[in-house]
Amino acid sequence: MRSQKRMYLFAFAGAPRPEYKDSVRGKIIDECLESDDQCYLLDCNYGKVNCDNPVNVMKVFRNSVFCLQPPGDSYTRRSMFDSILAGCIPVFFHPGTAYAQYKWHLPKNHKSYSVYLPVKDVKEWDIKIKERLLEISEERVVRLREEVIKLIPSVVYANPSYGSEGSEDAFELAVKGMLEKIEEVREMMRQGKDGGEGFDDRDDYKYTFSPYEAQVLT
């Protein structure tokens, strides 16, 4: 995977979402089509069967350096995990797609394994994806890919017969996170505090841009 020859600078597997006025997918598709042979677009539009077979998706991602991960029907998307399994560096446009969602499974330092190009308002789109990605040095690409590869055990379910070779898999990390949360609540109760405090709060904070700064591409 580290020595995999990748023909495309970046790729996108998905379809436009014209029904969502804030969707950036249309802009991404336009840029991909304008990038000639540096971007591969796997069309997953309604009626297409390209994305029904995960083999097709993995072939594209294994041949791409960066994989674009814009929100779709929801902020999260399966494609993010596909890109990690393929050793393809994910490019996020909104923190709700990964950073604010999978805190038990992904590093807190999101700059160590991904590229972040925040788009707060599609009407103010001023990103040139190809140009931004070309700014990233080859050395940094190697470091990012290495971190992506290290993440693979944490986003898959290991075969119990073989284990995860010393690394915690997705299930183990989820259980560990829940147990830590339980202990946190117990500690609050021992201190006479309300253990349910915060559980019924709205989680809008997950979808705001403020905690996450734009990435310096070096």
Side-chain angles (χ1 to χ4, degrees), residues 43-84:
D43 188 358
C44 302
N45 213 341
Y46 302 113
K48 302 285 186 179
V49 296
N50 296 331
C51 300
D52 291 341
N53 187 342
V55 173
N56 294 335
V57 178
M58 293 302 289
K59 280 183 178 179
V60 172
F61 287 178
R62 282 177 58 83
N63 280 292
S64 305
V65 178
F66 299 96
C67 291
L68 308 184
Q69 304 296 339
D73 297 325
S74 63
Y75 286 106
T76 59
R77 61 194 312 250
R78 186 200 71 189
S79 176
M80 180 197 75
F81 299 104
D82 292 336
S83 68
I84 292 174

Side-chain angles (χ1 to χ4, degrees), residues 120-183:
K120 298 182 181 181
D121 189 338
V122 68
K123 295 187 291 294
E124 298 176 1
W125 177 278
D126 61 355
I127 297 175
K128 295 297 182 183
I129 298 173
K130 182 174 74 172
E131 294 178 8
R132 296 294 299 277
L133 296 179
L134 285 173
E135 292 175 6
I136 304 176
S137 67
E138 182 61 32
E139 292 78 10
R140 179 155 181 75
V141 168
V142 171
R143 292 198 303 269
L144 287 167
R145 182 179 300 124
E146 185 63 29
E147 291 303 314
V148 169
I149 293 172
K150 290 179 181 177
L151 287 176
I152 292 176
S154 67
V155 298
V156 298
Y157 298 116
N159 186 327
S161 301
Y162 299 97
S164 50
E165 299 183 356
S167 300
E168 295 172 307
D169 71 354
F171 177 77
E172 290 170 321
L173 286 171
V175 171
K176 178 181 177 181
M178 287 188 291
L179 292 175
E180 289 177 350
K181 186 63 178 178
I182 291 171
E183 185 55 38

Side-chain angles (χ1 to χ4, degrees), residues 169-217:
D169 71 354
F171 177 77
E172 290 170 321
L173 286 171
V175 171
K176 178 181 177 181
M178 287 188 291
L179 292 175
E180 289 177 350
K181 186 63 178 178
I182 291 171
E183 185 55 38
E184 179 183 321
V185 172
R186 285 176 172 170
E187 180 59 30
M188 292 175 65
M189 295 174 68
R190 283 193 288 267
Q191 296 176 12
K193 300 178 181 178
D194 181 5
E197 182 180 345
F199 278 85
D200 58 351
D201 290 345
R202 295 180 62 183
D203 59 359
D204 293 356
Y205 75 93
K206 288 185 177 181
Y207 312 118
T208 59
F209 289 84
S210 56
Y212 306 94
E213 298 178 356
Q215 185 168 340
V216 177
L217 306 181

